[in-house]
Amino acid sequence: MPAEQMLADGLIDRLGQAESSVKIKYGDQVYRSGHAIRNYHEAVADVMTELKDLGLVQHLHEIVGVGHRVVAGGEEFSESVVIDPQVLQDIRDLKDYAPLHNPVEAEYIDVFCKEMPWATQVAVFDTAFHQTMPAENFLYSIPHQYYEKYGARKYGAHGTSVRYVSQRAAEFLGRPLDQLKMIVMHLGSGSSVTAVQNGRSVDTSMGFTPVAGVTMGTRSGDIDPSLLQYLMRKLKITNFDDIITMLNQRSGLLGISELSADQRDLEAIEDEDPLAKLALDIYANRVAKYVGSYAALMNGVDVLVFTAGVGENAGARQGS
Ligand SMILES: Nc1ncnc2c1ncn2[C@@H]1O[C@H](COP(=O)(O)OP(=O)(O)O)[C@@H](O)[C@H]1O
Ligand SMILES: CC(=O)OP(=O)(O)O
């Protein structure tokens, strides 16, 4: 590539909700639209239309490559790969490692491969950055053969973001990344905390799947597994998948507040609604505990980095 230039960046917010919105920044202009986008098929169609309407491309054939962020790559994918039908199948097969993400990401990849068959499609795995974690941090305290036979271990997630923001933070500070101890808080609808020592991930809060770690928008974070057995009996649930769905989709800020998974909604009413306030307090508490433990793990910390929707916009609350 002779020169790299960012033409635009954008975000589709609140996908699937009535008030979804599109924001695209290009040059010194910002395009915003507030129409409802119901699902990822509509999201892809929308992005392609906007790219042309805003004159960012004359024709979609100008796009020669598409990068796809994929959450789980297991131990198979420790770096980015060009997607072929086998890789796409592997991404689907890793659905147990990221049940909320890999199946949807595979669908996006499929749509883009069909819409832009001329473009090279590349998968960039969140888990790849965390492959540097030492065994004492990525192994669970369960019989070792389950790791050897079934890959039962911590993989983490958000590594694509953490790799990038830790490099940018070092650049901002004008200090060499390989001499810094950082804690990166990626706080979005999914949230994680990662200890980055000398530019390498040494430990991270998400686990075998992204349900582990800190409290999130709809995910529980860490929990005692015996409580799940107890709840199954109390709720007369026989299928463990239903419990996992509850932990992934009906817990976190949404479960505690019984109102919303979105920090913005909870902040708007926290003075009147005790459960909204409690949800925000629990969230901040879990993040703080991971930060403390990673500072101890690295024997100090030079830099705290806040990123993603909550981290960038409401980081002060987490920081305090
Ligand atoms: N101004 C804001 N204040 C507090 N939270 C915000 C704000 N803007 C976005 N968020 C939070 O960020 C979340 C989205 O995070 P983001 O990193 O953009 O996406 P995702 O985690 O879904 O990939 C939203 O669910 C919302 O809770
Ligand atoms: C892994 C993960 O939680 O990703 P996201 O924040 O995009 O949901």
Side-chain angles (χ1 to χ4, degrees):
M1 193 183 290
E4 189 181 291
Q5 189 194 349
M6 168 111 78
L7 292 179
D9 73 278
L11 174 78
I12 296 179
D13 201 14
R14 298 190 190 243
L15 180 66
Q17 298 174 33
E19 67 276 32
S20 49
S21 63
V22 180
K23 181 176 166 190
I24 300 176
K25 287 193 264 176
Y26 59 111
D28 52 7
Q29 305 198 60
V30 181
Y31 164 86
R32 285 176 211 273
S33 122
H35 57 278
I37 301 178
R38 285 173 299 181
N39 53 46
Y40 54 87
H41 286 285
E42 288 189 8
V44 174
D46 195 272
V47 167
M48 291 189 183
T49 306
E50 307 303 358
L51 287 175
K52 283 192 288 189
D53 289 355
L54 296 174
L56 291 162
V57 294
Q58 299 306 312
H59 197 283
L60 290 175
H61 275 85
E62 291 163 34
I63 297 171
V64 295
V66 182
H68 297 273
R69 176 263 185 143
V70 178
V71 168
E75 286 188 331
E76 293 92 306
F77 297 108
S78 54
E79 52 190 37
S80 304
V81 293
V82 172
I83 297 169
D84 61 18
Q86 184 57 54
V87 171
L88 182 53
Q89 189 54 45
D90 291 345
I91 291 169
R92 289 203 168 100
D93 290 346
L94 286 162
K95 66 177 187 316
D96 288 340
Y97 294 55
L100 293 187
H101 297 86
N102 273 41
V104 179
E105 285 152 4
E107 291 305 317
Y108 272 113
I109 292 170
D110 202 34
V111 172
F112 272 95
C113 288
K114 287 184 178 132
E115 295 289 331
M116 295 187 182
W118 62 86
T120 305
Q121 312 276 336
V122 176
V124 180
F125 295 95
D126 263 17
T127 45
F129 181 66
H130 298 301
Q131 287 290 306
T132 52
M133 286 189 291
E136 70 260 31
N137 291 345
F138 75 66
L139 283 178
Y140 292 112
S141 307
I142 57 174
H144 191 63
Q145 54 174 305
Y146 300 155
Y147 166 59
E148 290 174 337
K149 282 191 189 158
Y150 309 119
R153 52 160 283 184
K154 175 195 282 204
Y155 291 93
H158 288 153
T160 312
S161 154
V162 177
R163 184 198 304 271
Y164 174 75
V165 298
S166 50
Q167 286 166 356
R168 290 289 290 148
E171 281 166 28
F172 275 127
L173 294 167
R175 294 180 58 188
L177 179 61
D178 62 6
Q179 290 172 21
L180 289 172
K181 294 173 181 173
M182 289 192 193
I183 296 177
V184 179
M185 286 159 277
H186 177 116
L187 309 177
S189 47
S191 297
S192 67
V193 181
T194 300
V196 181
Q197 191 159 7
N198 309 334
R200 294 158 69 87
S201 171
V202 290
D203 203 355
T204 193
S205 60
M206 285 181 170
F208 176 70
T209 76
V211 77
V214 301
T215 303
M216 307 180 215
T218 62
R219 285 171 248 162
S220 62
D222 296 335
I223 197 157
D224 177 348
S226 301
L227 178 61
L228 305 179
Q229 186 190 40
Y230 174 80
L231 283 178
M232 282 182 80
R233 283 199 208 109
K234 287 283 174 201
L235 298 168
K236 302 196 182 356
I237 293 173
T238 49
N239 187 348
F240 195 69
D241 288 357
D242 294 341
I243 286 286
I244 297 296
T245 301
M246 179 273 286
L247 296 178
N248 269 311
Q249 298 182 9
R250 293 192 285 117
S251 298
L253 296 178
L254 175 65
I256 304 163
S257 70
E258 298 177 334
L259 188 81
S260 173
D262 196 309
Q263 286 246 356
R264 290 166 289 194
D265 298 337
L266 301 182
E267 283 176 1
I269 54 154
E270 66 175 314
D271 290 341
E272 304 94 59
D273 188 319
L275 285 183
K277 181 173 182 326
L278 182 64
L280 293 169
D281 287 346
I282 291 175
Y283 183 92
N285 162 293
R286 299 303 188 273
V287 172
K289 282 181 185 163
Y290 265 100
V291 170
S293 74
Y294 289 164
L297 180 77
M298 293 190 289
N299 195 23
V301 55
D302 302 308
V303 191
L304 293 174
V305 184
F306 293 90
T307 191
V310 179
E312 288 159 28
N313 296 295
R317 180 188 192 112
Q318 313 307 332
S320 63

